[in-house]
Amino acid sequence: MNSFYHSTRGKSENVTSKQAILRGIAPDGGLYVADWVGEHKLDLAKICAQGFQETARDVLGTLLPNFTEDEIASCVEAAYGAQWDTPACCPVTPLGDDWLLELYHGPTSAFKDVALQMLPQLMGVARRGAEGEDKKIMIVTATSGDTGKAALEGFAGVDGCGVTVFYPEGKVSDIQHLQMATQKGDNVAVCAVRGNFDDCQTEVKRIFADHEMAERLAREGAVLSSANSINVGRLAPQVTYYFDSYAQLVRAGAVEQGDEVTFCVPTGNFGDVLAGYYAKRLGLPVRKLIVASNENDVLTDFLTTGTYDRMRPFNKTISPSMDILVSSNLERMLYYFCDGDCELVASLMGDLATKGSYTVPAEVLARIQEVFACGRADDDATRAQIRSTWEGLGVLIDPHTAVAKSVLDGVERDGSARVCLSTASPYKFSADVLAALGEPTEGMSGFECMDALSAKTGTVAPAQLSALRDAKVLHDAVCDRQKMGAFVESACARVFL
Ligand SMILES: *Cc1c(COP(=O)(O)O)cnc(C)c1O
């Protein structure tokens, strides 16, 4: 069986899963995909009888076929151990008539830990093999808030690797900012950028395509790679919690093995919900994947009309990790729904780059709509949802989760069990959550809001967020978009020389 990955925009060059992880993005600007995903289904009965770590081994072993069983096992052990505040890693809890999949029990209190505790382990293995030639790897990543800290936490101290994080200045929460600015480690670099997240992400993509910079770095034995959700090594770990949450529902007696389940996913870059689609291809009984958007509702329009149009105002919302106009991972979904027609995908992406929009053929849209539903919630709906979920169900949720819950409440029940993905601890966004509960926040610091939220609800903030109170700010660099490349090169020089 072919076990290679190739670009969404061309099938000529095959790479192993290790190479795909080391490179991040394909040389032609496309994303790495595999045609064989789904030829082999996972054993659902086995998965229903085992825990998160075992399922992670099964999922990763299937999606990353050129890692050995031992390599995968040691990566799983390192990524999903005591740094999680519950042995289950991603527990499922009741949410009224539905279920909440809590993805925020990792070291940075956001769902990105599921992937970013694993990716550095996979990269560490890959760089030591024939594919990696022991090169030094500088991770460069753009973040709308949560990825940055999760990448810093995952890569800090990892041998032979460095990490550089860019975030849009003033567009992340107080706590998110402190989480990044206080990051320790000799191999980390953090810089704020004057602009929005799309500016950061577009410039990072340009840096990856800068051949002259690549040559200069190669002379020092270093290469750039990505930790953004386009990396196969981030996508694959996220498939685990779709299977594992299903297993939890079966064990709780909420569904019979084989019953279909609907998942509602607060969506930005389309990585999380795409992992749900991979799970479906791998044999998970999925009824619908509901793509929930905030006011940046480019995906709602796309999934409704077939036209993706990024030429619209960028809205700053209270769910900042979803403030995205170009959802990179959507390209992978298009690839599969265009039946692997790379030319078509390349021409759609060309339209996006030159005209700012593209339209998929009607039959492609129809097939997409069989799997993906969608909905949007603006900030007012999000705040109302936080309050009603707390007052009505006694469950405290963050603004991203509230977007999903609001969208889910608007979808008619079809008899399938429904899981709402919860992507961040409410304490990462204490001020907005507190305000949504009707409490005053005027003039209060992030920490005062955390204390007030705790007092109001009787819940406890994650220990690593409380600890930020006494942490020292170590990173205060700010730059214009044009200077990001130079910042990366100086970080490489400092970390690797
Ligand atoms: C990143 C993030 C999302 C969006 O996930 P995508 O994979 O980009 O769609 C949602 N909520 C939170 C809290 C996040 O950090």
Side-chain angles (χ1 to χ4, degrees), residues 111-112 146 266-272 321-322 400 423-424:
F111 102 97
K112 294 194 169 59
D146 288 325
T267 297
N269 227 353
F270 211 79
D272 194 356
S321 295
M322 298 158 68
H400 303 79
T423 49

Side-chain angles (χ1 to χ4, degrees), residues 18-241:
K18 286 182 180 173
Q19 286 167 327
I21 286 170
L22 290 170
R23 289 188 190 179
I25 196 162
D28 62 2
L31 309 192
Y32 285 115
V33 283
D35 296 338
W36 42 264
V37 173
E39 276 173 22
H40 167 81
K41 310 286 183 211
L42 294 188
D43 181 346
L44 205 54
K46 176 173 183 287
I47 283 170
C48 288
Q50 67 191 19
F52 186 91
Q53 287 79 0
E54 290 78 14
T55 296
R57 285 204 290 267
D58 289 352
V59 166
L60 294 171
T62 300
L63 289 175
L64 308 175
N66 85 313
F67 284 75
T68 68
E69 228 173 278
D70 284 351
E71 286 170 343
I72 294 285
S74 71
C75 289
V76 167
E77 200 179 309
Y80 302 133
Q83 67 272 50
W84 294 76
D85 69 17
T86 157
C89 287
C90 303
V92 175
T93 55
L95 179 68
D97 294 334
D98 300 316
W99 300 89
L100 195 68
L101 170 51
E102 299 181 3
L103 301 174
Y104 54 79
H105 290 275
T108 77
S109 309
F111 102 97
K112 294 194 169 59
D113 287 330
V114 180
L116 281 166
Q117 286 296 301
M118 177 54 72
L119 177 69
Q121 304 302 326
L122 297 172
M123 251 184 207
V125 169
R127 70 171 277 280
R128 289 193 298 272
E131 289 94 338
E133 300 165 345
D134 267 326
K135 284 204 186 73
K136 301 175 192 115
I137 300 172
M138 176 55 80
I139 300 301
V140 181
T141 196
T143 182
S144 54
D146 288 325
T147 310
K149 175 59 179 180
L152 290 164
E153 191 71 34
F155 280 98
V158 172
D159 199 36
C161 295
V163 51
T164 302
V165 169
F166 295 105
Y167 66 90
E169 186 186 24
K171 295 191 173 64
V172 300
S173 79
D174 276 4
I175 301 287
Q176 286 178 320
H177 167 248
L178 267 184
Q179 280 188 301
M180 292 187 276
T182 60
Q183 178 68 43
K184 290 185 191 144
D186 294 336
N187 64 338
V188 306
V190 179
C191 185
V193 177
R194 296 180 192 100
N196 63 34
F197 171 69
D198 282 314
D199 295 329
C200 296
Q201 177 158 269
T202 306
E203 185 62 15
V204 165
K205 282 188 178 173
R206 195 206 59 74
I207 289 170
F208 282 121
D210 185 335
H211 298 293
E212 285 167 26
M213 189 194 300
E215 273 171 34
R216 286 194 295 276
L217 293 173
R219 286 198 283 276
E220 312 292 336
V223 290
L224 300 182
S225 190
S226 159
N228 272 10
S229 62
I230 53 173
N231 194 304
V232 169
R234 267 194 62 183
L235 184 59
Q238 296 182 162
V239 177
T240 302
Y241 51 72

